[in-house]
Amino acid sequence: MSIAVYPGTFDPVTYGHLDILRRAAGVFSHVVVATTEAPQKQCLFSLEERLSQLHQAVEGMHNVEVRSFQGMLVDFVRSLGASVVIRGMRETTDFEYEFQMALMNKRIAPEVETVFFVTALDYLYLSSSLVTDIALRGGDISAFVPSFVEDAIMRKLGKG
Ligand code: COA
């Protein structure tokens, strides 16, 4: 069985992430979508809230599991008996960061491969913080996130 891990902050999960996840679930027999604390970011949602949103988002995806992890990603990947990390690639600006992270993970865990999915054109420009910013300024975010995420953002921003 080929197990792949799709890690991210998912603050919040967007249709761009879900597009990558669905496509990965079509390629690998089991996909673990995994989130973690992100001390380097000022997250809008807590880890528990992000986990709960992910659980709702993957409903109906039979070979997808939601997990959180602490510590190093590659240790989590190894603990699952997995050997693939999935990442989405949107544009060239993602490349440097993703390349560095993939190489560092490879240095630490040579048996773990990073597999990139090129984002769907519709989501090329999408990012979690951009969605939150649009919501903060009163814009319509319904094309970018599921309705339960939209509601959660509105509540969080005191606009619900
Ligand atoms: N569609 C829409 N947005 C996307 C996207 C897609 N397909 N792919 C990435 N993004 C956006 C996210 O929305 C996010 O936007 P934001 O910066 O505006 O919030 C941004 O790209 C990056 O987010 P994400 O994909 O969630 O990755 P991340 O950089 O937040 O997550 C971890 C990085 C968690 C995977 C990484 O830090 C990690 O592995 N941490 C564990 C500790 C560790 O092992 N460190 C050593 C790593 S070498």
Side-chain angles (χ1 to χ4, degrees):
M1 183 165 82
S2 55
I3 306 173
V5 178
Y6 180 32
T9 310
F10 305 115
D11 183 48
V13 64
T14 69
Y15 283 139
H17 295 125
L18 294 176
D19 167 62
I20 302 287
L21 184 57
R22 269 196 208 96
R23 287 160 54 202
V27 172
F28 297 94
S29 44
H30 191 73
V31 178
V32 177
V33 55
T35 190
T36 187
E37 296 287 4
Q40 74 281 13
K41 288 189 172 186
Q42 278 201 318
C43 284
L44 182 66
F45 293 103
S46 69
L47 181 62
E48 289 69 28
E49 289 168 328
R50 287 182 276 129
L51 271 173
S52 159
Q53 289 167 7
L54 283 171
H55 276 291
Q56 285 189 69
V58 306
E59 261 174 33
M61 294 191 205
H62 302 297
N63 61 339
V64 175
E65 182 188 350
V66 176
R67 295 279 293 269
S68 66
F69 68 98
Q70 292 183 327
M72 300 291 290
L73 171 64
V74 288
D75 291 338
F76 176 66
V77 172
R78 279 172 165 160
S79 75
L80 296 171
S83 56
V84 174
V85 170
I86 303 290
R87 293 290 291 170
M89 186 76 81
R90 287 168 301 177
E91 45 183 338
T92 49
T93 46
D94 279 347
F95 180 77
E96 209 172 317
Y97 171 64
E98 295 296 340
F99 191 61
Q100 188 182 17
M101 200 156 65
L103 283 179
M104 180 56 87
N105 283 334
K106 191 88 190 147
R107 172 73 178 76
I108 303 166
E111 79 282 13
V112 174
E113 296 292 350
T114 300
V115 173
F116 292 102
F117 282 73
V118 174
T119 191
L121 271 180
D122 279 351
Y123 305 125
L124 197 62
Y125 47 83
L126 200 52
S127 82
S128 300
S129 54
L130 210 51
V131 169
T132 305
D133 190 46
I134 292 168
L136 192 60
R137 293 161 195 275
D140 180 5
I141 56 168
S142 59
F144 311 133
V145 292
S147 55
F148 61 86
V149 172
E150 185 179 355
D151 292 346
I153 294 174
M154 292 308 179
R155 279 196 304 276
K156 195 60 103 169
L157 298 179
K159 292 173 177 278

